[in-house]
Amino acid sequence: MKITDLKPIIASHCSHTFASLNFGCRANASETNQLSQILVNLGLSPDTDKPDVYLVNTCAITKKGEYESIYQIKKIIKDDPEAIVLATGCAHLEKVDHIPRVYTFDNTQKEAILKENFGKYSSDVLDKFSHTKRYVFRVQSGCSVNCTFCIVPSRRPYLNAIPLDEAVNTVNEAVKNGYSEVIITGVNLGQYFPGLSNLVEALLTRTKIELISFGSIPLITIDEKFINLLSEYPTRVSRFLHIPLQSCSDKILRLMNRQYDKKRIIGTFEKLKQNKSLTFGSDIIVGFPTETDLEFQETFELCQSIGFSKLHVFRYSPRPDTVAREIFLKSEKISKDELTRRSRLIRSISGE
Ligand code: SF4
């Protein structure tokens, strides 16, 4: 059943305990913590053993991610005849909203529920980061960039950003609650319109947070100010930056509708690497439709010259309602062996 508010469901089932399951990205993780805080505020307590309520925040970035999210919801209902499931997130929830005891609210509804929360939660939610004093702070949600391989814009068709002052308040509250590190995350921080470097500067100058780190940092957000802050605050801004590139071939970047080209990648990393204390990670898609061996070689060689210490390698996965899927259906398929070869080569870089 589709819902718009958690309160009446919790009240009607006289629920006392809950467990939360998060799939996918750090933005999802922060949302799961915030929704868990709402359940705590409604009088429920975390119980991973036999809870009355399961909160499931699903993912759909890959076919596998969506399959696992939906499978887990069905398994809970099958294994626990009394529990109820509150399901949200990027998966196609119409696959489960007909199941008795499953209550779904999509991302737009989730945003409405979280709107006035400004990313707040406490360690009462018993998430996996709080015991390390790390606060996962989603400052932005939604994306309208429409990279051609990505399902996210169709699953999060809105743009929200926490105003700078509210972000400073949330982090000051987190510091009061004993957190020492804040992990800045979003669906696309490139659309955090107050500006990522302005946010980092505000948190450095208006809070006592000891360390600021990041989920993924879009290449286009790395401006002069950001690079200067990295130098000015060597102990308070993380030395590791995860910058998803996906490819380094201009033809493939154009087909992906990414917001930068090879020249911009080279220029940005030349500036970043002047700071010897920094290390880098990235996400690379191998086997994007029509990617030739030469174009793959471009990506391999540039990733090697940048010297990434951590590389997440994804084989292209055709997602519904994406432009790239149409290219994929019309183009010659890259063999499994070739995809394996390309994946191994990229992974070998971070091994080096
Ligand atoms: S920036 Fe591109 S990859 Fe990232 S969420 Fe938006 S569409 Fe997806």
Side-chain angles (χ1 to χ4, degrees):
M1 189 171 103
K2 288 194 177 74
I3 60 172
T4 57
D5 186 358
L6 306 182
K7 248 188 254 108
I9 302 299
I10 298 300
S12 65
H13 286 272
C14 311
S15 311
H16 302 291
T17 58
F18 77 96
S20 56
L21 282 84
N22 187 68
F23 291 87
C25 60
R26 289 263 167 92
N28 252 21
S30 171
E31 294 164 359
T32 302
N33 293 350
Q34 294 174 60
L35 291 166
S36 300
Q37 186 64 51
I38 291 173
L39 294 179
V40 167
N41 299 348
L42 288 173
L44 280 71
S45 47
D47 169 2
T48 49
D49 186 22
K50 195 169 179 347
D52 302 327
V53 176
Y54 289 87
L55 169 67
V56 183
N57 200 357
T58 64
C59 172
I61 200 77
T62 62
K63 198 172 176 183
K64 187 165 172 282
E66 179 155 16
Y67 173 80
E68 283 168 1
S69 304
I70 297 293
Y71 169 79
Q72 198 60 45
I73 292 170
K74 291 181 176 173
K75 186 173 183 311
I76 291 166
I77 291 297
K78 186 167 135 294
D79 295 352
D80 189 330
E82 270 136 47
I84 64 170
V85 174
L86 303 173
T88 187
C90 294
H92 293 80
L93 297 170
E94 58 274 16
K95 294 177 181 172
V96 290
D97 63 15
H98 61 285
I99 303 174
R101 292 186 287 120
V102 175
Y103 300 94
T104 66
F105 51 110
D106 64 17
N107 281 330
T108 304
Q109 202 48 55
K110 178 170 55 182
E111 283 303 305
I113 291 171
L114 294 179
K115 193 150 187 44
E116 300 308 317
N117 198 46
F118 302 122
K120 293 193 173 75
Y121 66 88
S122 72
S123 53
D124 297 347
V125 301
L126 292 189
D127 66 312
K128 70 174 185 178
F129 292 98
S130 289
H131 71 286
T132 56
K133 299 187 183 313
R134 304 168 78 203
Y135 192 88
V136 189
F137 188 20
R138 190 206 74 168
V139 296
Q140 182 278 344
S141 187
C143 180
S144 61
V145 171
N146 290 310
C147 299
T148 57
F149 56 82
C150 184
I151 198 173
V152 174
S154 67
R155 312 308 298 160
R156 292 178 178 263
Y158 45 73
L159 287 175
N160 284 330
I162 295 179
L164 268 185
D165 292 344
E166 291 297 345
V168 167
N169 292 345
T170 298
V171 172
N172 276 327
E173 203 169 307
V175 170
K176 253 193 255 132
N177 290 338
Y179 289 93
S180 56
E181 177 181 348
V182 62
I183 305 170
I184 302 292
T185 188
V187 170
N188 176 11
L189 290 175
Q191 295 194 303
Y192 179 70
F193 296 121
L196 181 62
S197 41
N198 294 334
L199 171 68
V200 174
E201 182 184 51
L203 298 183
L204 287 167
T205 55
R206 295 165 58 191
T207 82
K208 292 201 172 14
I209 194 77
E210 292 169 30
L211 180 62
I212 299 172
S213 58
F214 308 91
S216 290
I217 305 174
L219 185 84
I220 59 162
T221 63
I222 300 173
D223 53 17
E224 285 311 313
K225 187 174 193 173
F226 190 85
I227 291 171
N228 294 339
L229 290 169
L230 287 166
S231 308
E232 283 166 40
Y233 296 86
T235 60
R236 292 188 65 201
V237 184
S238 175
R239 299 295 91 184
F240 176 76
L241 305 176
H242 189 84
I243 306 167
L245 296 179
Q246 310 300 2
S247 174
C248 301
S249 145
D250 279 338
K251 185 204 108 184
I252 298 297
L253 288 169
R254 268 196 309 280
L255 285 176
M256 286 178 166
N257 189 33
R258 296 293 276 177
Q259 299 175 291
Y260 48 85
D261 57 12
K262 190 174 180 177
K263 188 162 165 264
R264 176 116 183 223
I265 296 173
I266 294 169
T268 304
F269 278 96
E270 265 168 15
K271 287 184 190 145
L272 284 169
K273 289 180 75 171
Q274 285 163 18
N275 185 331
K276 301 298 178 213
S277 67
L278 298 176
T279 58
F280 309 105
S282 191
D283 298 342
I284 298 291
I285 293 175
V286 296
F288 186 85
T290 78
E291 182 187 61
T292 64
D293 194 27
L294 271 181
E295 285 144 10
F296 167 74
Q297 208 55 33
E298 277 187 89
T299 298
F300 174 72
E301 284 164 9
L302 186 48
C303 286
Q304 207 171 30
S305 74
I306 291 171
F308 287 109
S309 63
K310 203 172 180 184
L311 281 165
H312 296 159
V313 184
F314 301 87
R315 293 176 186 212
Y316 170 73
S317 167
R319 301 304 289 134
D321 315 322
T322 59
V323 172
R325 184 170 177 275
E326 301 313 311
I327 307 171
F328 173 76
L329 294 173
K330 296 189 192 99
S331 59
E332 195 186 327
K333 303 298 175 277
I334 301 167
S335 72
K336 276 206 169 68
D337 291 350
E338 179 54 16
L339 291 174
T340 304
R341 185 187 76 84
R342 292 180 188 182
S343 304
R344 282 208 184 115
L345 269 175
I346 297 286
R347 281 203 188 89
S348 69
I349 295 167
S350 50
E352 282 161 22

